[in-house]
Amino acid sequence: MKNKTSFPPQEGEARPSRCPDNSAFKQQKLPAWKPQLTIATVLSSFFLTGAFCLLVGVCLILSANSVREIQIDYSDKCSDCSKLRENSSNWNKECHCSINFTLKEDILGDVFMYYGLQNFYQNHRRYVISRSDAQLLGRNVNVQKSYCAPFTAYRNGTPMAPCGAIANSMFNDTIDLFYNPNSSVIQVPLLKTGNSWWTDKNVKFRNPKSYNLSSAFAGTARPPYWQKPVYLLDEEDERNTGYVNDDFIIWMRVSAFATFRNLYRRVSRVRQFADGLPAGNYTFHISYNFPVSKFKGRKHVILSTVVWSGGSNPFLGIAYVSCGTAATLTGFVITAIHLKLRKKKTYFQKQ
């Protein structure tokens, strides 16, 4: 490409103008709102914002503290099962443990059961993308071209359904709750459906279309750490098995932190549990399947209620209180500076 040589304009030639067009936009003459901030408007804004944030924060903290919650760590209490699960060759051996606890007061209202994991990092970049959304929509896809590796297929070429590290590491402990009034044993009815987000259940997850779900997954195999294929996740309810299983859907929504809890069950408010959980002795019966000792993790089971602001997490309330305190202190600092400058101005005017 040849270089172009520019020559200065000859005498009598018009020099090109470099000025912008004479328009309101380019001349910056568009109408604009230019607020004239006074000390009264500035201080009132800071104090009103601070008062609002403090009020909302206190309400949120009081609401979070009103949540009734009981949390039980069963990592050590089921130590025998934990040692059994350290050896992956024992995956087909069942192991059960029981944990007794007492509720001193009634837990009224809706009661939710969660399982909690500690030191389990779901936010690793390779782990987060290790899934096939097209497969989870029930489409016939080649998982070898997805991000599921190394959990895509077995050595004989049989693809995994579902594929990926997230699905393979699905939490699979079974937790049942029993009420023990007067030396009798009553199993607390728990709801295992209706716990996932509506958009996940009805939009993001679909089973393959077929007259029979087992035939829809023909030619595939379960992930290595699973004990049964995906179409047998819930043998009692056909609407809650396969990719649309609530436990599976909730697990596939990964957590941003290493310590988290996922909704597992809801107490069905029938019979003597119509008002919630009555005070008394209870027992958790746990089928221990999910190993945590290799990554130094912990497992919890949580019974909790909810309020209008959510669960027992006070973070949002503390954040509001912090912002309100900062805004109020800033208002006082500005007031002090204004008074000091006003005194100096008055002094110099007198001089």
Side-chain angles (χ1 to χ4, degrees):
M1 183 176 180
K2 297 181 180 180
N3 296 328
K4 294 182 179 180
T5 305
S6 58
F7 298 96
Q10 301 297 324
E11 186 176 354
E13 293 183 4
R15 185 181 295 272
S17 175
R18 301 179 64 183
C19 296
D21 296 337
N22 188 21
S23 63
F25 177 75
K26 292 188 176 181
Q27 294 297 333
Q28 299 184 11
K29 293 181 180 180
L30 291 174
W33 178 55
K34 300 178 181 179
Q36 299 295 329
L37 297 178
T38 63
I39 188 64
T41 56
V42 172
L43 289 179
S44 61
S45 299
F46 274 101
F47 284 122
L48 288 176
T49 301
F52 173 78
C53 291
L54 286 173
L55 179 62
V56 174
V58 170
C59 292
L60 289 173
I61 292 176
L62 292 177
S63 177
N65 290 336
S66 66
V67 173
R68 294 289 310 281
E69 180 176 301
I70 179 171
Q71 179 172 315
I72 296 175
D73 186 329
Y74 65 94
S75 304
D76 296 331
K77 296 180 179 180
C78 299
S79 57
D80 293 338
C81 293
S82 178
K83 293 179 182 178
L84 179 70
R85 291 291 176 249
E86 288 180 1
N87 189 348
S88 58
S89 62
N90 296 326
W91 67 270
N92 58 344
K93 297 180 180 180
E94 294 186 359
C95 190
H96 303 272
C97 58
S98 299
I99 302 173
N100 299 318
F101 66 98
T102 302
L103 290 181
K104 297 181 179 179
E105 298 179 356
D106 297 344
I107 300 182
L108 302 178
D110 294 327
V111 182
F112 299 84
M113 180 189 294
Y114 302 83
Y115 62 85
L117 290 178
Q118 183 177 342
N119 206 38
F120 189 95
Y121 289 85
Q122 285 190 314
N123 56 0
H124 191 279
R125 60 183 182 85
R126 290 287 302 275
Y127 182 89
V128 170
I129 64 174
S130 185
R131 58 188 292 165
S132 173
D133 291 321
Q135 183 192 48
L136 298 176
L137 284 171
R139 299 173 184 171
N140 186 13
V141 295
N142 183 5
V143 295
Q144 296 286 0
K145 297 181 179 180
S146 66
Y147 293 103
C148 290
F151 301 101
T152 53
Y154 289 91
R155 294 182 179 179
N156 60 3
T158 304
M160 300 179 189
C163 70
I166 306 176
N168 183 60
S169 61
M170 177 181 169
F171 183 85
N172 57 350
D173 282 1
T174 302
I175 306 172
D176 294 314
L177 180 60
F178 291 86
Y179 178 46
N180 310 316
N182 302 323
S183 301
S184 59
V185 178
I186 302 174
Q187 185 171 4
V188 178
L190 302 175
L191 300 174
K192 56 185 177 181
T193 58
N195 300 324
S196 60
W197 291 19
W198 185 92
T199 51
D200 288 349
K201 185 84 171 182
N202 297 276
V203 178
K204 295 184 179 180
F205 293 82
R206 284 283 187 275
N207 282 325
K209 294 182 180 180
S210 178
Y211 68 93
N212 187 292
L213 196 58
S214 60
S215 63
F217 287 98
T220 64
R222 59 176 176 80
Y225 292 172
W226 284 31
Q227 298 175 337
K228 52 187 176 182
V230 63
Y231 56 87
L232 294 179
L233 285 180
D234 189 347
E235 302 180 46
E236 300 176 357
D237 189 353
E238 295 181 354
R239 297 171 299 178
N240 188 47
T241 192
Y243 294 150
V244 295
N245 177 262
D246 273 42
D247 293 337
F248 174 69
I249 292 174
I250 291 173
W251 178 258
M252 293 300 291
R253 182 175 286 276
V254 297
S255 172
F257 302 99
T259 299
F260 61 93
R261 63 175 64 180
N262 284 335
L263 181 60
Y264 181 68
R265 295 289 185 267
R266 291 177 294 125
V267 174
S268 179
R269 299 178 64 174
V270 295
R271 300 189 298 275
Q272 60 263 57
F273 308 103
D275 296 327
L277 291 179
N281 297 321
Y282 289 84
T283 303
F284 280 123
H285 286 186
I286 300 172
S287 177
Y288 198 106
N289 301 305
F290 193 83
V292 295
S293 57
K294 288 186 177 181
F295 57 87
K296 298 180 180 179
R298 311 287 299 180
K299 292 194 292 186
H300 306 82
V301 57
I302 304 113
L303 293 174
S304 177
T305 60
V306 295
V307 290
W308 62 271
S309 60
S312 62
N313 191 350
F315 172 78
L316 188 59
I318 295 174
Y320 266 99
V321 170
S322 301
C323 292
T325 303
T328 304
L329 291 177
T330 304
F332 282 117
V333 171
I334 294 176
T335 302
I337 295 174
H338 171 68
L339 293 176
K340 186 176 181 179
L341 293 178
R342 189 173 65 174
K343 288 181 179 179
K344 287 185 177 181
K345 183 178 180 180
T346 304
Y347 173 77
F348 286 115
Q349 285 177 351
K350 290 180 179 180
Q351 293 298 323

